[in-house]
Amino acid sequence: MGKELMRSPLGRALGLGSAKHGVEQWRAERVTAIALVPLTVWFAAASVVHMNSDYATAIAWLRTPLAATLMVLLLTALFCHTALGLQVVIEDYVHSGLKVPLLVAMRFGCFALTVAGILAEMRICSGV
Amino acid sequence: MASSTPQRMRPLSPHIQIYRPQLTSVLSIANRITGVVLSFCAVALVVWLISVAAGPKAYSTIHGFIRSWFGQILLLGCTYSFFLHLCGGIRHLAWDAVYGFELRAIYTSGWTVVVTSAALTLITWTACMRFAR
């Protein structure tokens, strides 16, 4: 059924209903989840292999184009998914005036960690 | 007028605490708790990457912590949280695609998540022991 059929003419005229972009966050959480399935499994498997690696071996692995690419993709998808997940948790349990500052701080934290992680990976690639 | 109304807490209807925990409700909250735990693991991942970028000294400090008994317990918790959230997440994606909503299917997939995540944790740690030698 078309969504316009579900709405009354008055409701349409008054602009009632959802904010029209709520579904995007829900969808982004799922899309990042799908991306994270191969990325996290790759990292978990690589962690097992490099469990006892010395510094030189670990850095040589992180410098390979495949590992560097996947690491940046992992960081991006991971913190996007984390931010969306934590947002729902905060919205569900924090009802005080702390809610909005907490949401903003969490977002800032996720952005900062993404940037820090990518910069660390770039520094590893360019030779410490 | 409004000030004459006595301020008191409104009665609340019984909430989740009166219900016996079921597989469905336990897995639902477990998915959320493991998600929060994994947020901390994500921070740890960035700390580890920064330690690699910082040089051999920072790297050996971090690895010394990971190899300590406390680090190993944390890592085991992270591993199980990861696999539980991964398997639970795949179950949620199936639901989002409108698969497996019958009560039977919900319980089958629920127990599959519990058993698979435990098995994957066991397999991962067995593999770790092998590579650690």
Side-chain angles (χ1 to χ4, degrees):
Chain A
M1 195 184 285
K3 67 179 172 187
E4 286 309 307
L5 285 171
M6 302 285 283
R7 313 185 64 207
S8 73
L10 180 64
R12 218 179 309 156
L14 292 173
L16 298 176
S18 74
K20 314 292 184 294
H21 47 71
V23 75
E24 279 313 312
Q25 293 189 338
W26 183 91
R27 192 175 292 161
E29 199 172 0
R30 269 77 193 163
V31 172
T32 48
I34 293 166
L36 281 170
V37 173
L39 290 170
T40 51
V41 169
W42 160 76
F43 184 72
S47 301
V48 169
V49 174
H50 287 278
M51 194 70 211
N52 249 22
S53 290
D54 57 1
Y55 184 70
T57 318
I59 213 158
W61 166 61
L62 282 171
R63 269 185 195 157
T64 58
L66 181 70
T69 308
L70 291 177
M71 186 58 83
V72 173
L73 289 175
L74 172 66
L75 288 164
T76 314
L78 182 61
F79 282 106
C80 189
H81 188 79
T82 301
L84 291 165
L86 288 179
Q87 180 180 338
V88 177
V89 173
I90 293 170
E91 284 170 350
D92 279 358
Y93 303 124
V94 183
H95 302 296
S96 63
L98 220 65
K99 184 173 114 174
V100 173
L102 214 57
L103 282 171
V104 173
M106 182 274 292
R107 272 280 153 140
F108 281 175
C110 284
F111 274 121
L113 286 162
T114 313
V115 172
I118 292 173
L119 282 179
E121 176 60 49
M122 283 168 75
R123 196 169 160 202
I124 290 163
C125 286
S126 60
V128 182
Chain B
M1 271 302 196
S3 59
S4 66
T5 314
Q7 290 290 310
R8 57 179 170 187
M9 296 290 283
R10 303 299 303 151
L12 291 168
S13 57
H15 198 39
I16 50 169
Q17 63 270 21
I18 73 152
Y19 293 105
R20 187 164 52 90
Q22 304 165 87
L23 180 69
T24 42
S25 62
V26 170
L27 280 182
S28 170
I29 193 64
N31 204 53
R32 184 162 275 201
I33 293 167
T34 52
V36 174
V37 169
L38 289 169
S39 308
F40 290 102
C41 297
V43 178
L45 167 67
V46 174
V47 171
W48 178 79
L49 264 182
I50 290 172
S51 85
V52 179
K57 217 176 148 185
Y59 181 83
S60 66
T61 308
I62 294 281
H63 272 242
F65 174 71
I66 293 173
R67 281 200 207 101
S68 69
W69 65 268
F70 185 60
Q72 290 287 296
I73 288 172
L74 284 183
L75 200 59
L76 180 64
C78 288
T79 315
Y80 188 58
S81 294
F82 166 63
F83 283 123
L84 199 63
H85 198 82
L86 177 74
C87 297
I90 291 169
R91 184 170 174 238
H92 270 278
L93 285 173
W95 282 339
D96 293 337
V98 211
Y99 286 111
F101 272 117
E102 300 74 25
L103 199 58
R104 234 189 130 88
I106 284 174
Y107 273 88
T108 309
S109 63
W111 283 115
T112 308
V113 164
V114 173
V115 173
T116 312
S117 54
L120 286 171
T121 308
L122 201 71
I123 290 166
T124 307
W125 275 72
T126 313
C128 276
M129 303 289 182
R130 195 152 286 219
F131 275 99
R133 266 189 227 141

